[in-house]
Amino acid sequence: MTPEIDLTDFKVLTDPFTAYDQARETSALAKLVIPGFGPFWALTRYTQARAMLADPRFEVRAESFMRPPGIPEHCLEYLRTMAEQDGPEHLRLRRLVAPAFTPKRAAQLRPRLAVLTERLLDELPAHAEDGVVDLIPHFARPLPMDVICELAGIPDIDRPRWREYGAAVASGMGADFAAAIPEIIAGARDAVARSRAEPGDDLIGDLVRAEDDDRLTDTELVTLVWHLVLAGQTPVNLIANAVEALLRHPDQLAALRADPALWPGAVEELMRFCSPQLLTTPRFAREDVEIDGQLIRAGERVTAAMVAADRDPRAFADPDRLDVTRDGPAQLGFSHGPHFCLGASIARVETEVALSALFSRFPDLALAVDDVPRAPDGGTWRPAKLPLTL
């Protein structure tokens, strides 16, 4: 029997790990119950989930994404990002922008990321009230947006406003999110125009200078910046989840403090153990496909349940244990296949710099509450607040 997971169930929202673990050990597929949607399949085991993400019989479509209502007409052309495209169109855009997101480029950003991180850490104690500070609004949320501004060449004077945009996007699909979109797009258009006139030492400047007959159009560049803002919020919740996880596993934190060379591997393990993304972007079956004896019909939605696959005991030994020295298969938190996260290298370095600097600066960092409040979100595992004592 195929297990069902109701994404509105309070138990699922507050403890998705148990719900998905139970489903995975029953079957390689589960049926997700989501109000307003038809059949929705979730692959729960690592091998099947990873295979589906690279299988051309499953495609990403515009319908894979939900758009907030009320977006002005002039913004719509910028909302169809690379993530919504498949086949030759997706490959063309990815080929053009991939050089700006290489591990080498991410490593070159490290000194600047360190400066941005230290600046926020300098300010953190001033935000404490009665000795307690919420890490999310004062560190985990502004840092990724500061990084995006750095990548896109947003002037310093405009960056406080962009932090507000990041907060609106990170808060989810609401009125603030919809209101921020036109402002982000207007700022991105200004950044592209500025770079066309005088390319800077930033991502847009690199793309403008690229000697390629098939270079990006202004619309594609503006869309890329918007996509950066949207996708760039993942480190917000990864940093917050990772801080909580390490504080709850002091032996692992002690290992990192004793040997900082473990940090890059630790980021991978933290992405496996407490990734904010529970599910991948839905794919649609192009044809009837059978997986593990279950027929998925053409047109039905399918997602990889990373929350289950990345804790699959068939792939990971003792999967419910956080182990910063773990050496195993690649986690799926950044997806896999043609839609593997383009910004993964930058997100990895950003998270490593943020976590290592935070724990180095505040050696007595501790959770200020026993139970960290969680946002009720069936697709994302994220704290609503992260109260800490410094």
Side-chain angles (χ1 to χ4, degrees):
M1 180 177 177
T2 303
E4 289 192 357
I5 298 175
D6 183 352
L7 294 189
T8 63
D9 188 327
F10 180 75
K11 291 182 179 179
V12 175
L13 293 173
T14 54
D15 181 14
F17 303 100
T18 296
Y20 282 95
D21 283 354
Q22 292 172 348
R24 182 193 59 235
E25 297 312 306
T26 301
S27 171
L29 285 96
K31 185 173 290 186
L32 302 186
V33 179
I34 307 172
F37 286 87
F40 206 113
W41 298 103
L43 298 176
T44 60
R45 294 178 184 169
Y46 182 89
T47 298
Q48 290 87 343
R50 191 172 188 271
M52 185 276 290
L53 293 172
D55 191 332
R57 294 176 297 176
F58 297 94
E59 64 178 342
V60 174
R61 301 178 185 170
E63 305 97 279
S64 298
F65 298 84
M66 295 178 62
R67 300 203 193 285
I71 303 299
E73 187 72 26
H74 72 275
C75 294
L76 296 180
E77 65 177 319
Y78 302 110
L79 298 191
R80 190 166 182 263
T81 69
M82 193 189 319
E84 297 187 16
Q85 302 172 35
D86 250 330
E89 191 176 20
H90 175 263
L91 288 175
R92 168 187 166 267
L93 289 173
R94 196 173 183 97
R95 177 180 60 82
L96 290 174
V97 305
F101 292 93
T102 61
K104 180 180 178 181
R105 179 64 169 158
Q108 291 171 343
L109 281 170
R110 183 182 289 270
R112 187 59 187 158
L113 292 177
V115 171
L116 296 173
T117 300
E118 294 296 337
R119 183 182 301 166
L120 288 172
L121 293 179
D122 288 342
E123 299 168 356
L124 198 56
H127 296 294
E129 297 182 9
D130 297 325
V132 175
V133 63
D134 183 354
L135 193 74
I136 295 175
H138 304 303
F139 183 70
R141 186 178 294 153
L143 179 60
M145 184 52 78
D146 286 356
V147 172
I148 291 165
C149 288
E150 194 77 12
L151 287 171
I154 304 298
D156 287 345
I157 193 172
D158 292 335
R159 294 190 182 188
R161 183 160 48 96
W162 280 70
R163 282 190 182 183
E164 295 178 9
Y165 302 157
V169 171
S171 67
M173 295 286 184
D176 290 345
F177 179 95
I181 292 176
E183 299 296 330
I184 294 169
I185 289 172
R189 291 175 64 179
D190 290 343
V192 169
R194 192 164 50 244
S195 195
R196 289 285 190 202
E198 188 175 345
D201 184 21
D202 51 55
L203 183 147
I204 296 177
D206 289 348
L207 294 173
V208 166
R209 280 189 295 266
E211 294 181 3
D212 193 309
D213 293 335
D214 189 25
R215 65 181 59 190
L216 296 172
T217 65
D218 280 10
T219 297
E220 289 169 338
L221 279 170
V222 171
T223 302
L224 176 63
V225 176
W226 156 243
H227 191 192
L228 276 174
V229 172
L230 192 64
Q233 302 313 303
T234 295
V236 175
N237 299 316
L238 175 57
I239 291 169
N241 287 349
V243 169
E244 181 188 0
L246 288 171
L247 290 175
R248 294 195 187 280
H249 295 80
D251 60 324
Q252 299 301 300
L253 180 55
L256 289 165
R257 283 177 163 150
D259 184 4
L262 294 175
W263 272 113
V267 170
E268 294 302 302
E269 171 67 350
L270 288 161
M271 192 67 171
R272 181 198 72 83
F273 185 78
C274 56
S275 169
Q277 299 304 122
L278 301 176
L279 308 166
T280 62
T281 300
R283 272 72 170 162
F284 288 81
R286 297 175 186 264
E287 59 190 69
D288 288 357
V289 180
E290 185 176 306
I291 296 180
D292 205 47
Q294 175 65 56
L295 180 64
I296 298 174
R297 298 193 179 279
E300 291 186 336
R301 291 179 175 87
V302 185
T303 183
M306 295 179 286
V307 61
D310 275 342
R311 294 200 180 197
D312 186 351
R314 298 159 191 80
F316 302 96
D318 199 3
D320 294 326
R321 178 172 60 89
L322 178 65
D323 179 3
V324 297
T325 65
R326 185 183 296 275
D327 183 17
Q331 48 80 17
L332 297 179
F334 291 116
S335 194
H336 176 67
H339 286 274
F340 178 79
C341 176
L342 194 62
S345 294
I346 293 173
R348 285 171 166 136
V349 174
E350 178 183 336
T351 302
E352 179 193 338
V353 169
L355 294 175
S356 59
L358 174 68
F359 284 109
S360 176
R361 176 72 72 91
F362 302 106
D364 297 323
L365 196 70
L367 293 170
V369 295
D370 291 332
D371 296 318
V372 172
R374 290 273 158 187
D377 188 334
T380 307
W381 179 245
R382 58 190 175 96
K385 297 179 179 180
L386 187 57
L388 303 173
T389 56
L390 303 180

